[in-house]
Amino acid sequence: TWEHPLGTDSVGRDNLSRVIYGARLTLIAGLVSISVAISVGAPLGAIAGYAGGRIDTLIMRSIDVILSFPSLLVALLVVVALEPGWPAVMLAVGTINIPVFCRQIRATTLGLRDADFVVAARAAGATPVYILSRAILPSLVNPLIVLATLGLGTAILEVAGLSFLGIAGEISVPEWGNMLTTAKNNLRTSLWPALAPGLAIYLAVLGFNLLGDGLRDTLD
């Protein structure tokens, strides 16, 4: 109806209002998850790429161990270790994205380690901490922005997936994954309750991927 363009759920709540309201929680969860991944993965990647040797081997083999497990299994282990809820979901999604940022930042740092400005700073007696923070870090900002924007779409999809599995806490909370969980039992009789949040997830992921591609072309 005009009052409910996307229909209502099983208890009469407006689907359009719930999709709009649920965007807040989904986007915040994606942003927090990517922030966790950046705050852990980026420093580890920079240290591994600059230090090399045993430190590089130790960090990257640890990352390889994480990558050897399916991302969903790692997320479920994190949620099980903590109390199910949104903080656990955001930490779980952040954890499975740490290797992505670590490997990318390491590769970028390896290319910068022997750059002229880094060699000059090293010859002037700068400490490794100073070189990483003042010489290499500014050159990592652009790749981090692009990678974070691209990763945000993936994080939103992963957050919605974990929420769909029912491990994000209260099922009545208006969030896209929760809405899909509620609507899946009525697909044969009512499609709109599932189509609305599904389309929202699709558009959000597509939008952030296109934004990431545009930023990469601009910043490169």
Side-chain angles (χ1 to χ4, degrees):
T1 64
W2 289 109
E3 291 78 11
H4 306 288
L6 298 181
T8 62
D9 63 4
S10 58
V11 294
R13 295 173 295 192
D14 181 64
N15 284 324
L16 179 59
S17 300
R18 287 172 59 80
V19 168
I20 295 173
Y21 188 84
R24 181 182 64 173
L25 182 55
T26 302
L27 294 177
I28 289 176
L31 286 170
V32 172
S33 301
I34 291 300
S35 300
V36 170
I38 291 176
S39 61
V40 177
L44 288 177
I47 293 172
Y50 182 78
R54 294 182 177 179
I55 296 178
D56 182 25
T57 301
L58 176 62
I59 293 176
M60 297 314 298
R61 294 300 78 78
S62 300
I63 294 299
D64 290 340
V65 170
I66 298 177
L67 289 174
S68 65
F69 294 95
S71 58
L72 181 59
L73 177 60
V74 174
L76 291 176
L77 288 175
V78 173
V79 173
V80 170
L82 303 174
E83 188 173 330
W86 282 107
V89 168
M90 290 185 284
L91 182 59
V93 174
T95 300
I96 62 180
N97 282 284
I98 287 175
V100 177
F101 287 89
C102 184
R103 291 168 72 93
Q104 182 63 45
I105 295 302
R106 173 183 177 271
T108 305
T109 304
L110 285 174
L112 295 172
R113 185 172 60 181
D114 297 325
D116 292 340
F117 63 91
V118 176
V119 174
R122 193 181 301 119
T127 63
V129 175
Y130 181 90
I131 294 175
L132 280 172
S133 60
R134 299 297 183 87
I136 294 180
L137 182 61
S139 300
L140 298 177
V141 172
N142 287 354
L144 269 177
I145 293 175
V146 174
L147 192 61
T149 306
L150 292 171
L152 188 55
T154 303
I156 289 174
L157 192 60
E158 292 165 345
V159 166
L162 292 177
S163 176
F164 177 79
L165 295 177
I167 57 178
E170 181 58 44
I171 194 65
S172 63
V173 174
E175 190 274 335
W176 295 342
N178 280 344
M179 293 178 67
L180 287 174
T181 302
T182 305
K184 67 181 175 61
N185 297 324
N186 302 313
L187 288 178
R188 293 185 178 181
T189 58
S190 181
L191 184 62
W192 285 110
L195 186 60
L199 186 61
I201 294 172
Y202 165 77
L203 291 176
V205 174
L206 178 63
F208 281 112
N209 284 339
L210 293 176
L211 177 61
D213 289 338
L215 287 175
R216 179 171 54 193
D217 295 338
T218 301
L219 296 178
D220 284 347

